[in-house]
Amino acid sequence: MMKIDLHLHSSASDGSLAPRALLKKASEEGFSAVALADHDTLQGVGEAREAARELGLCFLPAVELSVGEELEIHLLGYGVDENAPALQGLLAEMLRDREERVRKMAQKLRDAGYPVDYERVRSMAGGAVGRPHLARALVEAGAAASVSECFQRWIGRDAPFYVPRKKVSTRQGIRAVLEAGGVPVLAHPGQLRLSQQALDAEIGAMQAEGLRGLECYHNAHDPATQDWLREACKRRGLLVTGGSDFHGAAKPKVQLGSGLERWRDAEECLDALLRAVGEAKRGR
Ligand code: AMP
Ligand code: FE
Ligand code: FE
Ligand code: ZN
């Protein structure tokens, strides 16, 4: 069976491995097809693609957009063209907002007496800076024992130094992916923590805007969630995808392939996704 993992993070966002080292690791562990899906950036794609070519891996460029107004929705865009102007514009806007937001959170922490320097935080990300980098800088400075402690005490959604991101609507994210010749897929739907009814309604609304698939297999999905999502794909004619959401040492419990053990038809699903990417390019 082909080993496939369609959701990896590199140091271009909050993963710990540089794109080349990440692809090398995937190859050494016997993966034959992977997708790089960094948060709100495509900066790792060039290096990853080149490494994949050298290693003989099938490589799909992707991005994981943080969108949604009330909900924190993660939207995967598979096979996007890195040079598409609408997507580039959106990513540039999101990067500015990320920098601004992390700078504000760092300032609030400093004002409260915590030893944190924005420039140090900024330098920890190759591209899309975020709260994980801020947390790592706090750990490095000895202010906290772990990244999760930082989220809990200071920068998690309900914590005192949290600054919300600028809202990008789900519709806008889907549009940008489609205009870039990509295939929009809802990442880890189980993490939205919605009832089945509410999740189904959200999927329906997104499908009406152009959503093409669901990430059924993911490290955070239990078998019941995987089965429900697969059934939803079948009922709605959506593509099935799977990815571990590997972040390297940043999330040590998640290995390459974690959560994909029950994805028995991964190869067929990948073929369908690749066909959809081809159609998205032609239909643009
Ligand atoms: P940001 O994109 O800056 O809002 O940061 C969100 C990222 O932080 C998520 O994609 C996760 O990778 C990570 N994250 C969120 N909550 C936690 C947590 N409680 N502990 C550790 N990492 C977290
Ligand atoms: Fe992340
Ligand atoms: Fe995500
Ligand atoms: Zn992810």
Side-chain angles (χ1 to χ4, degrees):
M1 203 170 81
M2 235 175 120
K3 283 175 83 174
I4 295 168
D5 190 331
L6 301 178
H7 188 155
L8 311 181
H9 289 266
S10 78
S11 55
S13 68
D14 59 345
S16 59
L17 294 175
R20 179 171 298 280
L22 178 64
L23 271 282
K24 188 159 173 282
K25 182 176 168 68
S27 171
E28 281 165 5
E29 293 186 16
F31 285 84
S32 43
V34 296
L36 181 68
D38 276 312
H39 298 288
D40 304 332
T41 186
L42 288 161
Q43 287 188 49
V45 163
E47 182 181 319
R49 180 186 283 115
E50 195 182 291
R53 194 183 300 126
E54 289 163 19
L55 295 160
L57 283 182
C58 168
F59 175 74
L60 200 50
V63 65
E64 182 177 25
L65 299 175
S66 309
V67 298
E69 267 126 339
E70 275 99 69
L71 295 168
E72 169 81 29
I73 292 187
H74 284 183
L75 180 72
L76 295 160
Y78 283 110
V80 286
D81 168 4
E82 297 113 270
N83 301 313
L87 181 60
Q88 270 197 341
L90 180 63
L91 293 178
E93 209 179 290
M94 289 173 107
L95 179 61
R96 275 195 301 278
D97 179 59
R98 280 182 167 277
E99 289 173 335
E100 193 54 35
R101 178 180 176 228
V102 171
R103 191 193 293 279
K104 278 187 193 152
M105 284 187 274
Q107 190 57 50
K108 284 186 168 200
L109 280 153
R110 276 184 82 86
D111 291 347
Y114 295 103
V116 59
D117 172 38
Y118 173 73
E119 292 311 321
R120 176 67 192 131
V121 177
R122 185 68 195 88
S123 74
M124 287 178 141
V129 70
R131 287 179 292 160
H133 307 100
L134 179 56
R136 283 176 219 166
L138 284 159
V139 172
E140 184 187 74
S146 69
V147 165
S148 55
E149 184 191 330
C150 296
F151 272 86
Q152 213 162 17
R153 289 174 61 189
W154 302 315
I155 56 173
R157 220 181 156 113
D158 303 311
F161 305 114
Y162 176 78
V163 174
R165 65 184 163 79
K166 194 165 143 256
K167 303 298 176 204
V168 174
S169 70
T170 313
R171 180 192 168 81
Q172 202 185 342
I174 291 173
R175 286 272 140 240
V177 169
L178 292 173
E179 277 168 40
V183 174
V185 171
L186 177 59
H188 43 70
Q191 289 203 317
L192 289 171
R193 313 227 167 281
L194 296 172
S195 67
Q196 286 185 354
Q197 196 185 0
L199 179 57
D200 202 51
E202 182 62 32
I203 293 167
M206 289 180 73
Q207 193 172 9
E209 286 165 357
L211 187 79
R212 297 292 316 280
L214 301 177
E215 186 176 55
C216 298
Y217 300 92
H218 178 270
N219 80 67
H221 288 170
D222 60 22
T225 303
Q226 296 166 9
D227 292 347
W228 186 87
L229 289 166
R230 279 214 68 133
E231 185 279 321
C233 285
K234 196 167 164 190
R235 173 164 45 88
R236 294 178 168 280
L238 290 167
L239 296 160
V240 171
T241 76
S244 63
D245 216 346
F246 180 77
H247 282 67
K251 286 187 189 167
K253 278 181 232 154
V254 180
Q255 307 294 312
L256 288 172
S258 286
L260 312 184
E261 299 79 7
R262 295 173 77 244
W263 192 18
R264 297 193 185 90
D265 60 347
E267 213 170 320
E268 286 96 307
C269 293
L270 174 62
D271 284 343
L273 177 62
L274 292 173
R275 275 198 302 277
V277 167
E279 282 159 22
K281 296 264 168 307
R282 283 193 297 278
R284 201 157 27 141

